[in-house]
Amino acid sequence: QKTLTDLQLEYLDLYLIHWPHGFERGDVLFPRNEDGTVRYADTHYMESWVEMEKAVNDGLLRHIGLSNFNCRQMTEVHDKGTIKPAVNQCECHAYLNQEQLAAAAKKLNVVFTAYSPLGSGDRPWAKPDDPK
């Protein structure tokens, strides 16, 4: 409801769970411990999915989907949810082709869409001589 109010809309066509993990609630977007590690919440992504299904049933959302979910997580949401994910959006490019994830999405009839299709300079596995 807050997102709809902020955007001054009555509904959204597509709403994604951005990560399969949540962050500790509060005013800080990415809360961290003193040692710099992220403070995660105890909420399981299926709890979030159920709430998003309610928002679809209430007419606030038309479609719901996932982002950054692996094969197991995507399959769990698909199999346990009453509404199937419409999409799984993940980083995908020549240096991270996501072949298995794309195949799993296709098998589940979940659209696989890429972000950073031209690559991402902040990928931790990149070698120093790889293009940025």
Side-chain angles (χ1 to χ4, degrees):
Q1 193 65 45
K2 179 179 178 353
T3 300
L4 291 173
T5 301
D6 290 348
L7 295 173
Q8 300 177 5
L9 296 172
E10 294 179 17
Y11 69 90
L12 291 175
D13 288 320
L14 177 65
Y15 202 66
L16 306 178
I17 297 178
H18 194 98
W19 289 294
H21 55 268
F23 299 105
E24 186 178 90
R25 287 180 176 248
D27 295 332
V28 178
L29 191 56
F30 300 106
R32 296 189 177 276
N33 296 311
E34 287 185 27
D35 64 0
T37 57
V38 176
R39 289 197 315 257
Y40 295 103
D42 294 350
T43 307
H44 191 275
Y45 52 83
M46 284 306 303
E47 293 176 53
S48 299
W49 190 257
V50 168
E51 293 304 314
M52 289 174 62
E53 289 177 328
K54 289 177 186 175
V56 170
N57 293 331
D58 290 344
L60 303 175
L61 306 173
R62 297 278 169 94
H63 304 280
I64 51 179
L66 310 168
S67 184
N68 301 303
F69 278 57
N70 65 32
C71 292
R72 180 191 57 76
Q73 295 160 335
M74 178 179 59
T75 300
E76 180 179 7
V77 173
H78 178 274
D79 292 349
K80 291 182 178 177
T82 58
I83 298 174
K84 305 305 179 198
V87 65
N88 189 12
Q89 179 187 61
C90 297
E91 183 176 356
C92 183
H93 45 75
Y95 295 100
L96 183 64
N97 70 21
Q98 301 282 21
E99 187 175 341
Q100 290 179 332
L101 187 55
K106 184 175 182 176
K107 183 178 176 183
L108 297 173
N109 201 30
V110 174
V111 173
F112 181 80
T113 186
Y115 69 79
S116 297
L118 300 177
S120 176
D122 65 349
R123 58 193 191 281
W125 59 86
K127 298 179 183 90
D129 58 334
D130 282 351
K132 298 272 184 229

